[in-house]
């Protein structure tokens, strides 16, 4: 399976340096990215997914630039945003799930059959005709995950996947993710969400602060977050 390779990658948005000089080779099955709010975590995920172009350096997956080869990326990358309302496009559950499959080249009949099988396997066959706006926040987020999984990408990029879910749904999602064959990148400000990853990357102000096994990175991350909690840690946001 292809690695994600960043070489001196940086990102400038509206004149502000959001990410700087990131050189990483991502190949482990489970990778966590931690950092406080505003550290660049979501921007890094968007950069990897090709949703924003690198201002400096490069991002490559199997030698391809994800920002320029969007069709090829449909089978390589699936991204789940923190807010499902930024992702859902269609009025019913079945239409939402079928969209990506049609984009991949499946006929509408093939996509409909795949959607029906997926919902049946998830114990949610009754969701098919449900209006997406009637689902709860957690249900909409789960729908977005199912839409990504239906496309069977090599990589899953998950932005705070547990944030809107109650505890039983979190447990179900963790079990589901643990059983997948795809490599997974999970970003979170919560170290608990990435404690069982193979590798953890800590971003601070858009730069690499630490990178290694969770038992090496997370104690230092927790200690720094506690230290910042004792001071005015957000005074830098206005500068």
């Amino acid at each position: 399976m292809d690695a994600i390779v960043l070489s001196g990658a940086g990102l400038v948005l509206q004149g502000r340096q959001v990410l700087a000089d990131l050189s990483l080779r991502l190949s482990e099955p489970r990778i966590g990215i931690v950092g406080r709010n505003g550290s660049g975590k979501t921007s890094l995920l968007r950069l990897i997914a090709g949703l924003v172009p690198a201002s400096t350096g490069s991002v490559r997956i199997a030698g391809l630039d994800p920002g320029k080869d969007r069709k090829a990326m449909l089978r390589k990358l699936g991204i789940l945003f923190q807010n499902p309302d930024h992702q859902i496009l269609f009025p019913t559950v079945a239409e939402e799930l079928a969209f990506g499959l049609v984009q991949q080249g499946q006929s509408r009949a093939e996509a409909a059959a795949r959607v029906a099988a997926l919902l049946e396997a998830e114990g949610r066959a009754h969701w098919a005709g449900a209006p997406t706006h009637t689902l709860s926040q957690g249900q909409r987020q789960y729908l977005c995950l199912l839409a990504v999984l239906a496309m069977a990408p090599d990589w899953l990029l998950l932005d705070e996947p547990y944030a809107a879910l109650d505890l039983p749904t979190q447990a179900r999602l963790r079990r589901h993710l643990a059983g997948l064959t795809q490599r997974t990148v999970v970003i979170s400000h919560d170290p608990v969400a990435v404690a069982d990853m193979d590798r953890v990357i800590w971003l601070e102000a858009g730069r690499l602060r630490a990178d290694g096994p969770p038992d090496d990175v997370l104690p230092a991350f927790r200690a720094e977050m506690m230290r910042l909690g004792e001071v005015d840690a957000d005074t830098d946001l206005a500068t």
Side-chain angles (χ1 to χ4, degrees), residues 113-206:
R114 170 69 180 130
V115 166
L118 175 64
L119 289 174
E120 181 68 30
E122 290 291 319
R124 288 170 167 79
H126 58 290
W127 277 23
T132 52
H133 73 270
T134 64
L135 302 180
S136 70
Q137 174 83 0
Q139 288 172 330
R140 292 197 301 276
Q141 188 179 36
Y142 204 82
L143 170 62
C144 291
L145 176 64
L146 291 180
V148 170
L149 292 177
M151 298 172 70
D154 294 336
W155 283 90
L156 298 176
L157 310 178
L158 309 179
D159 186 356
E160 300 283 3
Y162 308 111
L165 305 181
D166 59 21
L167 292 178
T169 309
Q170 285 185 32
R172 179 187 175 96
L173 178 57
R174 287 181 193 277
R175 290 197 308 272
H176 199 145
L177 293 177
L180 297 176
T181 59
Q182 288 95 340
R183 294 178 182 176
T184 305
V185 178
V186 175
I187 71 169
S188 181
H189 64 275
D190 181 3
V192 174
V194 297
D196 60 350
M197 300 286 105
D198 301 299
R199 174 183 178 187
V200 173
I201 294 164
W202 173 8
L203 286 185
E204 184 66 33

Side-chain angles (χ1 to χ4, degrees), residues 19-154:
L19 299 170
D21 195 28
L22 294 177
S23 292
L24 298 164
R25 180 181 177 83
L26 309 180
S27 59
E28 292 80 4
R30 300 286 183 267
I31 299 170
I33 300 175
V34 295
R36 55 180 174 143
N37 292 341
S39 63
K41 303 186 303 297
T42 296
S43 294
L44 176 56
L45 225 61
R46 291 173 62 84
L47 183 67
I48 291 171
L51 300 178
V52 292
S55 303
T56 56
S58 65
V59 180
R60 295 290 184 269
I61 303 171
L64 302 175
D65 182 338
K68 295 179 180 178
D69 295 279
R70 295 299 304 147
K71 189 171 184 179
M73 290 302 110
L74 290 175
R75 296 189 182 279
K76 292 191 176 298
L77 296 173
I79 186 168
L80 179 69
F81 295 107
Q82 181 176 357
N83 187 343
D85 295 332
H86 294 166
Q87 197 157 349
I88 293 174
L89 300 173
F90 291 90
T92 70
V93 168
E95 290 174 291
E96 184 68 27
L97 291 174
F99 174 68
L101 299 175
V102 173
Q103 291 294 104
Q104 285 184 323
Q106 295 188 28
S107 70
R108 294 191 181 278
E110 289 171 333
R114 170 69 180 130
V115 166
L118 175 64
L119 289 174
E120 181 68 30
E122 290 291 319
R124 288 170 167 79
H126 58 290
W127 277 23
T132 52
H133 73 270
T134 64
L135 302 180
S136 70
Q137 174 83 0
Q139 288 172 330
R140 292 197 301 276
Q141 188 179 36
Y142 204 82
L143 170 62
C144 291
L145 176 64
L146 291 180
V148 170
L149 292 177
M151 298 172 70
D154 294 336

